[in-house]
Amino acid sequence: MARPRPGQLPTLDRRSVLKVLLAGAGLAAVPGLAACGSGGSTAADPNTVTFGSNGSDAKPKQAYQAVLDAFAKQSGGLKAKPNVQDHQAFQQNINSYLQGTPDDVFTWFAGYRMQFFANKNLLSPIDDVWDKIGANFPQAVKDLSKNPQDGHYYFVPIYNYPWGVFYRKSLFQEKGYTVPKTFDDFINLAKKMQGDGLSPFVQGFGGGESWMLLGTFDYLNMRTNGYQFHMDLMHGKESWSDKKVKDVMDSWKRMLPYYQAGASSKKWEDASAALVNKTGGMMVIGMFVGQSFTNQADYEDLDFFAFPEINSQYGTDAVEAPMDGFLLSKNPKNPDGAKKLLEYLGSAEAENTYLSIDSSNLAVNDKADTSKYGTLQKKAVQFVADAKQLSQFGDRDSDPGFIQNVVEPAFAQFVQNPNTSDSLLTQIQSQKSQYFQS
């Protein structure tokens, strides 16, 4: 995935920004051998650490390379060799990748999704790394980096990024649109945009990217039923056939007539071109959409607003803000070198280097330099700081096998055939027991 930044805001306390971060997601097995490559013989070289990366998009790829180059310059002869894989393929093959010959260090996600592999004994604990980097991070980030089952640290974070509804400021000004506060306002705005010849809701979930639909569902559910119900649903504690979930799908149905044509065949990168060229009005996505804006003036025209209120009891309290970082494989070929790399990745220098290239994210290191944040990043910092609850994302707050194999296909079918919603929810509920014990 990827990320962005908004509005001129005062300096903020970073600890307050992250104090409401909560744990996210899990993972399930993907059959067959991974296509994601491995550390191979190069990792046996005492001067080389292999680095598995899902940062295949242009900006993350460039940013990670800059970080690895900076590491090599200060490491006394140690270098990191990247193994960059397609983002979606890396995620889908991660289980078999880790059971094969994975790279020494690799990119992954915080919270439940890290804990899943730690509990499967597929990772190495890095408490000694955290002894050296712990002072750089607030407690909420530390909590997301630790496995509560055994009390050990496994994860080194680098950034987080919120999801919102992104749009072009100049388009809204030209058309006289105002930012919607309620869901009814949201739908009325979409109707007006459609009348103006625009694609109101820019969307792409083709090419294996049905995960893109999760962001919309997460917000609809948290806005309708509140954060706690959403998390309980994600953890298998609530029924998918409950009327509360049916209400969510009914709200989603109201959005579908305004979806971009051909959404099921577009990846988000392709779909977002409509936002860039102003043929589309709004897009529910993470800050990484900023990577599509290669022209600086266009990027500075990018803005976002909170997914609108549906139930006044919950308002817009909850915000989706995933956190990414790094893990150490179970049997690294170069364990000492790998830990030195992780120590560097946990430094403010590494975070500053990364964000200087891929500015569509927010620093999580207390000592990182935020003085050069643009208006979008500043607005995003405030957005996260104001949240009363933070989710990690659908496939990070739940068992991803369940999400990937059951929920995502059902959502993709629903978007193309909304009348199937009740039967699809029944189907999801009937398959839930394969992943969650009652």
Side-chain angles (χ1 to χ4, degrees):
M1 300 166 79
R3 0 291 136 180
R5 347 149 263 226
Q8 201 72 17
L9 296 169
T11 302
L12 298 165
D13 181 346
R14 301 179 56 71
R15 293 181 183 274
S16 69
V17 171
L18 292 157
K19 66 181 179 181
V20 289
L21 279 171
L22 298 169
L27 199 283
V30 177
L33 293 175
C36 289
S38 67
S41 59
T42 306
D45 179 353
N47 293 318
T48 300
V49 178
T50 55
F51 178 77
S53 172
N54 63 3
S56 56
D57 292 339
K59 283 287 187 180
K61 185 176 181 179
Q62 181 185 357
Y64 278 133
Q65 187 60 59
V67 171
L68 299 183
D69 290 344
F71 166 71
K73 289 179 181 178
Q74 56 83 58
S75 66
L78 189 62
K79 61 181 180 180
K81 181 180 179 181
N83 172 27
V84 182
Q85 300 294 329
D86 175 77
H87 185 89
Q88 187 70 6
F90 192 94
Q91 291 182 222
Q92 292 176 339
N93 290 300
I94 187 68
N95 197 61
S96 48
Y97 167 75
L98 291 182
Q99 295 181 72
T101 52
D103 297 287
D104 297 336
V105 174
F106 61 97
T107 56
W108 201 239
F109 314 118
Y112 181 82
R113 210 157 184 191
M114 167 273 292
Q115 296 163 22
F116 178 90
F117 290 123
N119 293 333
K120 294 292 185 182
N121 200 31
L122 292 172
L123 305 176
S124 295
I126 52 172
D127 296 338
D128 48 350
V129 172
W130 272 89
D131 286 342
K132 298 180 179 180
I133 68 171
N136 295 341
F137 299 98
Q139 189 60 48
V141 171
K142 293 180 182 179
D143 291 343
L144 281 167
S145 303
K146 183 184 288 188
N147 180 17
Q149 298 296 318
D150 62 17
H152 291 299
Y153 284 102
Y154 290 90
F155 182 80
V156 172
I158 189 166
Y159 58 69
N160 72 347
Y161 56 95
W163 278 58
V165 184
F166 286 81
Y167 69 99
R168 297 289 298 273
K169 290 181 285 189
S170 61
L171 179 65
F172 270 50
Q173 292 166 357
E174 291 164 10
K175 300 292 187 180
Y177 302 148
T178 57
V179 170
K181 300 298 183 183
T182 68
F183 192 70
D184 285 341
D185 294 339
F186 199 34
I187 298 302
N188 288 335
L189 175 58
K191 184 177 182 179
K192 185 175 182 182
M193 286 181 171
Q194 193 174 67
D196 289 338
L198 301 173
S199 296
F201 295 128
V202 176
Q203 179 62 270
F205 60 95
E209 292 189 346
S210 53
W211 57 267
M212 274 294 299
L213 297 172
L214 298 173
T216 297
F217 175 82
D218 291 348
Y219 269 130
L220 285 168
N221 195 24
M222 290 190 290
R223 295 292 184 262
T224 303
N225 300 311
Y227 171 83
Q228 192 57 54
F229 179 87
H230 176 68
M231 296 306 294
D232 288 344
L233 183 70
M234 293 294 99
H235 295 165
K237 298 177 182 178
E238 294 285 354
S239 172
W240 283 80
S241 54
D242 190 299
K243 183 183 181 298
K244 290 182 177 181
V245 185
K246 292 181 180 180
D247 289 343
V248 171
M249 305 307 282
D250 286 343
S251 291
W252 201 348
K253 287 177 185 177
R254 295 179 64 191
M255 295 178 65
L256 297 183
Y258 306 104
Y259 264 30
Q260 183 179 19
S264 63
S265 62
K266 293 183 174 75
K267 291 190 173 184
W268 75 260
E269 296 93 335
D270 302 322
S272 64
L275 207 61
V276 176
N277 62 32
K278 298 200 287 190
T279 59
M282 305 171 282
M283 190 172 190
V284 180
I285 195 168
M287 282 183 66
F288 53 89
V289 71
Q291 295 173 5
S292 296
F293 287 74
T294 56
N295 178 281
Q296 187 61 29
D298 288 342
Y299 182 80
E300 291 175 358
D301 189 44
L302 182 64
D303 203 348
F304 73 94
F305 56 84
F307 195 96
E309 175 184 301
I310 295 176
N311 183 337
S312 61
Q313 180 179 350
Y314 306 113
T316 57
D317 292 350
V319 168
E320 194 116 271
M323 186 164 70
D324 293 359
F326 315 97
L327 301 174
L328 177 63
S329 59
K330 177 62 178 175
N331 296 302
K333 299 284 194 306
N334 188 351
D336 292 339
K339 288 187 177 181
K340 288 180 180 178
L341 175 59
L342 286 168
E343 289 171 16
Y344 181 76
L345 292 171
S347 69
E349 179 183 336
E351 199 158 286
N352 292 338
T353 299
Y354 185 95
L355 292 176
S356 69
I357 295 171
D358 183 6
S359 56
S360 60
N361 300 287
L362 305 178
V364 292
N365 189 310
D366 275 340
K367 299 178 181 178
D369 180 10
T370 61
S371 63
K372 296 180 181 178
Y373 272 10
T375 54
L376 195 62
Q377 281 174 305
K378 291 177 181 178
K379 181 174 179 177
V381 168
Q382 186 68 59
F383 185 54
V384 174
D386 289 343
K388 293 183 179 178
Q389 304 98 15
L390 290 177
S391 59
Q392 285 288 293
F393 196 68
D395 62 359
R396 303 187 187 199
D397 285 324
S398 186
D399 182 311
F402 171 63
I403 297 297
Q404 179 180 313
N405 300 328
V406 179
V407 176
E408 288 182 22
F411 284 175
Q413 185 176 340
F414 161 76
V415 170
Q416 297 174 82
N417 188 359
N419 292 331
T420 61
S421 60
D422 285 357
S423 62
L424 289 172
L425 291 178
T426 300
Q427 175 183 308
I428 292 173
Q429 179 61 23
S430 68
Q431 296 182 59
K432 185 181 73 172
S433 61
Q434 299 176 34
Y435 301 88
F436 299 98
Q437 295 184 359
S438 56

